[in-house]
Amino acid sequence: MIPLSDENPTLRTPIVTYAIVLLNALVWIFVQGAGLDETTLAKSVCNLGLVAGELTGLAPIGTAVPLGAGLVCAVDDDPVNLLTPFTSMFLHGGWGHILGNMLFLWVFGNNVEDSMGRVRFVVFYVGTGVLAALSQVVVDADSAVPMVGASGAIAGVMGAYLVLYPKVRVNMLFIFFVFFRVIPLPAWGVLIWWAVVQALMLAPMLDDGGASGGVAVMAHLGGFVAGALLIKLFEDKVLTARHVYGHFRHTRHRA
């Protein structure tokens, strides 16, 4: 089940959303080598990814985890580690990882940006991303495994979208073996289902630091809850009202 678009027109060009997508793409290509060189990718993940045990000091210096054939990432006390809750949200582990994240941001980010304005959206996105990362640190405090990805911040955007536009239809791609079909579903159903899946993944994984198959599930849930709780502090009610009115006019015209 993959989101392709929503039926929620924007009032203004979502410049910040586009810029975040572009920034992630540039980091992936020029910092991480587009995943084409295993050593370059591993170095970026190890040096700029978030290692919970480095932040908490609970992972012994020198503890090493494998990142590929002949490659390991060792715990250190480099001052840059304090910045990794931020830097890690612009790194990815593979093409599927970054394309999936950017698709979700593309679908949901523009309308959330529309509801609060560009400057507030920057603060909101970064803030929920950091809170998502710290949520993972709480349940995985002694881990030496680096965590990367924009999904925590994007989960914050999704939580905000749920609060602001629960009834808007999202066009979801369903794949049944070789058959494809796009089905419009209400945002509340799509986003609550996503959150429930994350919670179900987390439950048996708490003993493994809240990670399932390499996925930092607690970061997803932490970002989602943070976004849902904080959106009313960031929302510009005038912009939201104009946005809802614009959506109403759009749907009336389509009908």
Side-chain angles (χ1 to χ4, degrees):
M1 193 168 70
I2 304 170
L4 297 179
S5 63
D6 64 355
E7 299 178 5
N8 197 3
T10 55
L11 298 171
R12 302 188 302 171
T13 302
I15 292 175
V16 174
T17 300
Y18 292 164
I20 293 172
V21 172
L22 178 60
L23 179 58
N24 277 273
L26 292 175
V27 170
W28 173 243
I29 294 170
F30 293 106
V31 176
Q32 300 192 271
L36 299 177
D37 180 74
E38 188 175 14
T39 300
T40 299
L41 179 60
K43 284 182 177 180
S44 66
V45 169
C46 181
N47 295 332
L48 298 174
L50 185 152
V51 178
E54 288 180 336
L55 290 179
T56 63
L58 296 178
I61 301 296
T63 302
V65 296
L67 289 185
L71 299 171
V72 297
C73 180
V75 173
D76 60 33
D77 57 356
D78 193 311
V80 76
N81 296 340
L82 297 176
L83 299 178
T84 57
F86 173 76
T87 59
S88 63
M89 73 175 75
F90 297 98
L91 301 170
H92 292 86
W95 276 103
H97 192 198
I98 185 171
L99 291 176
N101 277 345
M102 294 304 100
L103 176 59
F104 273 78
L105 178 60
W106 185 271
V107 172
F108 297 108
N110 56 358
N111 299 121
V112 175
E113 178 182 342
D114 233 12
S115 74
M116 62 178 68
R118 292 160 181 159
V119 174
R120 290 188 186 188
F121 185 61
V122 171
V123 177
F124 178 84
Y125 182 87
V126 173
T128 54
V130 170
L131 289 174
L134 295 180
S135 297
Q136 186 67 31
V137 171
V138 168
V139 300
D140 207 7
D142 61 350
S143 174
V145 179
M147 180 182 73
V148 297
S151 53
I154 296 169
V157 170
M158 293 164 64
Y161 196 103
L162 174 63
V163 173
L164 293 173
Y165 309 115
K167 296 181 181 180
V168 168
R169 289 183 298 182
V170 179
N171 297 311
M172 303 295 295
L173 174 63
F174 287 80
I175 303 174
F176 305 95
F177 298 101
V178 296
F179 299 99
F180 301 84
R181 185 173 181 182
V182 176
I183 302 175
L185 296 173
W188 67 263
V190 171
L191 295 172
I192 289 178
W193 172 252
W194 178 88
V196 168
V197 170
Q198 304 304 307
L200 291 175
M201 291 172 62
L202 175 66
M205 291 295 142
L206 286 175
D207 290 337
D208 191 29
S212 175
V215 178
V217 181
M218 191 60 208
H220 293 176
L221 287 172
F224 188 81
V225 172
L229 293 178
L230 294 175
I231 181 57
K232 289 301 181 180
L233 296 179
F234 284 85
E235 173 196 19
D236 184 319
K237 296 186 184 301
V238 173
L239 290 176
T240 301
R242 289 177 56 202
H243 195 277
V244 171
Y245 177 66
H247 171 66
F248 173 76
R249 290 184 61 190
H250 178 75
T251 53
R252 282 288 298 274
H253 179 71
R254 283 170 54 93

